[in-house]
Amino acid sequence: MMKQVSMVKYIAMALFLLPVSCMQKISKAVTPAMVNNATRIKIFANDTIKSTIQYAGFGYDIYVKDQLYIHQPGIPAISENKGFYTADAAQKTAQLIAFKIQNNILPPSVSTRELDSLGVLNGLK
């Protein structure tokens, strides 16, 4: 009986330690969340870039560790190819996407509901 109790303790301890040891290994992977200070946003007017699809208005680039991570000339999550109506709208969206990258919410997609709550879709018809 005593041997069974100690064996159960060992098994329980092994079952507890196995996931904990795996979590430590996973946390050592390099992710965008580990480079928070290295995320940079650049807003641009779409008439300053050459693109195969012409967007009016503004877009944004997000850099992680000084490398282009996202180039977004238009409003994401909508069916039309339209740029942001204001630089402020592009900035708000880029900040949301940068927040998602920094917090390892990948892919850093955005929904129309999120854009609407930011006030980005106010100019759309």
Side-chain angles (χ1 to χ4, degrees):
M1 175 105 167
M2 190 64 140
K3 289 182 181 181
Q4 286 179 336
V5 171
S6 62
M7 183 62 92
V8 170
K9 285 182 182 180
Y10 286 121
I11 292 172
M13 189 181 319
L15 291 175
F16 174 75
L17 291 177
L18 182 64
V20 171
S21 65
C22 291
M23 286 191 296
Q24 290 171 347
K25 291 176 185 175
I26 292 170
S27 68
K28 292 180 183 178
V30 176
T31 64
M34 299 173 116
V35 291
N36 289 347
N37 296 336
T39 304
R40 188 170 49 91
I41 296 170
K42 178 184 170 193
I43 305 300
F44 59 84
N46 278 314
D47 60 353
T48 62
I49 64 167
K50 299 200 189 274
S51 176
T52 56
I53 300 173
Q54 291 296 5
Y55 292 87
F58 298 88
Y60 63 84
D61 290 332
I62 297 178
Y63 294 84
V64 175
K65 288 187 171 182
D66 291 327
Q67 291 190 1
L68 183 62
Y69 191 74
I70 294 177
H71 172 71
Q72 186 67 45
I75 302 171
I78 65 167
S79 59
E80 299 106 325
N81 292 328
K82 293 185 176 187
F84 293 91
Y85 290 105
T86 65
D88 185 53
Q91 180 73 33
K92 286 178 184 178
T93 305
Q95 286 174 335
L96 174 63
I97 297 298
F99 172 82
K100 289 183 176 190
I101 293 167
Q102 291 168 351
N103 290 283
N104 208 24
I105 302 169
L106 300 173
S109 59
V110 65
S111 68
T112 53
R113 176 179 269 168
E114 290 171 311
L115 293 174
D116 190 41
S117 71
L118 293 173
V120 172
L121 301 180
N122 291 344
L124 290 178
K125 294 178 183 179

